[in-house]
Amino acid sequence: MLDFVTLEADLDEEERLIRDTAREFVADRVKPDIGEHFENGTFPTDLIPLMGKLGFYAPNLEGYGSPNVSETAYGLLMQELEAGDSGLRSMASVQGALVMYPIHAYGSEAQKEEWLPKLGEGEAVGCFGLTEPEHGSDPASMETTAEADGDGYVLNGSKTWITNSPIADVALVWARDTSSKDAPVRGFLVETDRDGVTTNKLEEKLSMRASITGEIGLNNVSVPESNVLPDVSGMKGPLSCLTQARYGIAWGAVGAARDCFETARAYALEREQFGGPIARFQLQQEKLAEMATQITLAQLLAYRLATLKERGDLRPQHVSMAKRNNVRMAREQSRVAREMLGGNGITTDYSPMRHLANMETVYTYEGTHDIHTLVLGDELTGIQAYE
Ligand code: FAD
């Protein structure tokens, strides 16, 4: 596996174990039929509890069954899962960074005890409802409301593009609390079997097909006060979760690109044209050289982020740069790999076209490439260009 500047030589034992466990899981349980899942628009749901058993959901959290592994180990896990498919990494990202993390950071003791072990073991599935039909890049304009009613709230609104909503047991819904001054955004744990909740599946995707995506309809849904995340109010809630998930994406994109590189390299060495392997042509070697270089640069950024996160110095702007760069890199390099495979490159028999299609989603979700550009523009000039 491509590790050109031997970054993995510095891994400790636990980090190696997690990398190897995830790599083996992907090779044995994912790769054989992920192409078929992609074609059929299905997610291998039978793997959800197994992924829990292997400790793939938020192992970087502490307590409630989570082992508090290093941020490098967590990053490596995301990298290996996305080398399988972005749908798999999305499953782990949503469950871990977007549902377990906020419960861990902002939840009550009862919420933590109720949900973290179940979600960690994959006995329950969570989803994260922020995006609305009319509010994607600008979620602060959300229209979903939570109105105080007796000793609880009544929620109304709709969320869309929600990973795993059709199979989720619980949705973390971000809504405006209209009973408080300035109607702050707050997080509500909404069990999906409550009256008034609907979770239709979105079927028309041409990207991220091996992942289940849906809507969340909320029609006068009552939840008790005990379902509100008590320790966060305002956009800091959802945005801090997104920083966690984007950190994993910055690593994951490297895995997808690496899998494309390895596939293209193997193919070029094997495929013969004009009396020998196409790998002997300088044009093909240039492509491999550029891919390996871009992947290595992205790896370096991901490893540096882990160091910053570990010592508490990671800022959302760092994550914006890495998400923006590494996903663009994976999107561009998966196209080059696809090209190197000729006609075979457009089939599901090989991974590059699937990764390329997935990267269109990854480029767009968790802050579009444009929005991260504007975050960096703001950081570098002090002038915010997106309000
Ligand atoms: P828009 O915000 O309408 O953007 C359209 C275009 O305009 C983009 O190119 C964008 O970059 C550009 N644009 C917008 N504003 C500006 C600006 N100020 N300056 C310059 N250009 C701008 N959301 C969730 O809450 N939970 C999930 O689990 C989830 N999973 C997803 C899974 C998939 C498969 C997909 C595709 C999306 C998912 N999303 C999820 C939603 C995702 O986060 C949004 O699609 C994303 O934030 C973009 O919003 P939008 O699609 O409404 O695009």
Side-chain angles (χ1 to χ4, degrees):
M1 295 286 171
L2 184 72
D3 177 24
F4 197 73
V5 294
T6 59
L7 288 159
E8 295 188 2
D10 297 333
L11 300 180
D12 66 25
E13 208 174 311
E14 186 181 55
E15 291 162 348
R16 275 169 211 277
L17 181 68
I18 288 171
R19 177 201 61 187
D20 294 345
T21 305
R23 202 173 271 183
E24 209 173 297
F25 166 80
V26 165
D28 295 348
R29 304 300 303 262
V30 179
K31 285 205 168 169
D33 52 11
I34 194 67
E36 209 175 308
H37 279 291
F38 188 89
E39 265 184 83
N40 298 337
T42 52
F43 181 81
T45 45
D46 55 313
L47 299 182
I48 294 173
L50 179 58
M51 289 169 71
K53 217 166 159 194
L54 292 171
F56 290 173
Y57 304 129
N60 54 341
L61 296 180
E62 192 174 356
Y64 306 94
S66 291
N68 190 22
V69 303
S70 76
E71 296 299 343
T72 301
Y74 177 74
L76 289 163
L77 171 62
M78 297 298 120
Q79 178 180 276
E80 297 307 324
L81 293 180
E82 198 143 4
D85 191 85
S86 299
L88 204 66
R89 199 268 307 135
S90 293
M91 170 73 216
S93 280
V94 170
Q95 184 92 341
L98 296 181
V99 183
M100 291 173 67
Y101 167 79
I103 294 173
H104 192 272
Y106 309 125
S108 66
E109 201 47 43
Q111 290 166 350
K112 291 179 199 181
E113 277 167 19
E114 180 181 358
W115 288 110
L116 291 178
K118 274 196 274 192
L119 290 164
E121 284 160 25
E123 276 175 21
V125 173
C127 69
F128 178 86
L130 179 64
T131 304
E132 298 184 355
E134 303 304 327
H135 308 283
S137 295
D138 180 19
S141 302
M142 72 175 64
E143 294 170 51
T144 300
T145 54
E147 209 182 324
D149 179 41
D151 57 358
Y153 287 84
V154 175
L155 291 150
N156 277 290
S158 63
K159 301 285 177 181
T160 193
W161 290 120
I162 308 305
T163 302
N164 283 346
S165 75
I167 57 163
D169 300 286
V170 63
L172 172 52
V173 171
W174 299 95
R176 290 212 169 271
D177 174 1
T178 53
S179 51
S180 299
K181 192 173 168 280
D182 298 329
V185 168
R186 300 195 69 189
F188 297 82
L189 292 167
V190 181
E191 297 88 347
T192 51
D193 58 2
R194 282 188 181 272
D195 286 348
V197 178
T198 50
T199 56
N200 299 331
K201 186 178 174 197
L202 297 174
E203 303 278 4
E204 317 78 0
K205 288 181 301 168
L206 296 174
S207 164
M208 200 68 95
R209 286 186 55 76
S211 172
I212 300 166
T213 316
E215 301 168 323
I216 305 175
L218 300 154
N219 185 9
N220 288 323
V221 178
S222 293
V223 294
E225 171 83 37
S226 57
N227 281 29
V228 186
L229 295 185
D231 293 339
V232 75
S233 173
M235 285 303 289
K236 174 181 179 254
L239 293 181
S240 62
C241 304
L242 291 171
T243 298
Q244 302 299 316
R246 289 164 181 168
Y247 169 79
I249 292 173
W251 277 87
V254 173
R258 190 196 66 198
D259 187 60
C260 290
F261 170 83
E262 294 298 353
T263 305
R265 170 162 65 176
Y267 192 86
L269 287 166
E270 207 173 275
R271 174 73 176 166
E272 299 200 349
Q273 288 295 289
F274 300 97
I278 60 170
R280 77 191 191 285
F281 296 128
Q282 290 178 1
L283 283 176
Q284 304 306 319
Q285 290 188 3
E286 189 275 338
K287 286 172 189 169
L288 290 172
E290 186 60 21
M291 259 194 228
T293 307
Q294 294 306 326
I295 292 168
T296 301
L297 293 174
Q299 277 172 335
L300 285 164
L301 191 50
Y303 273 85
R304 178 63 184 162
L305 245 56
T307 305
L308 292 176
K309 195 167 193 288
E310 203 66 66
R311 66 184 198 209
D313 288 335
L314 186 70
R315 295 191 300 125
Q317 291 84 349
H318 296 138
V319 180
S320 280
M321 181 180 277
K323 191 269 182 185
R324 179 181 181 277
N325 180 73
N326 292 9
V327 175
R328 176 182 57 188
M329 181 281 296
R331 189 192 194 211
E332 287 171 358
Q333 300 313 324
S334 56
R335 176 171 288 115
V336 176
R338 203 289 314 143
E339 189 180 307
M340 288 182 65
L341 269 64
N344 282 330
I346 69 153
T347 67
T348 49
D349 294 342
Y350 294 88
S351 64
M353 183 82 191
R354 179 167 49 76
H355 284 306
L356 170 57
N358 285 340
M359 281 306 135
E360 294 302 321
T361 287
V362 185
Y363 195 79
T364 291
Y365 75 9
E366 299 269 355
T368 69
H369 186 82
D370 291 335
I371 294 298
H372 289 296
T373 307
L374 299 179
V375 168
L376 293 175
D378 180 12
E379 170 75 3
L380 299 171
T381 65
I383 305 168
Q384 195 179 79
Y386 53 96
E387 261 190 358

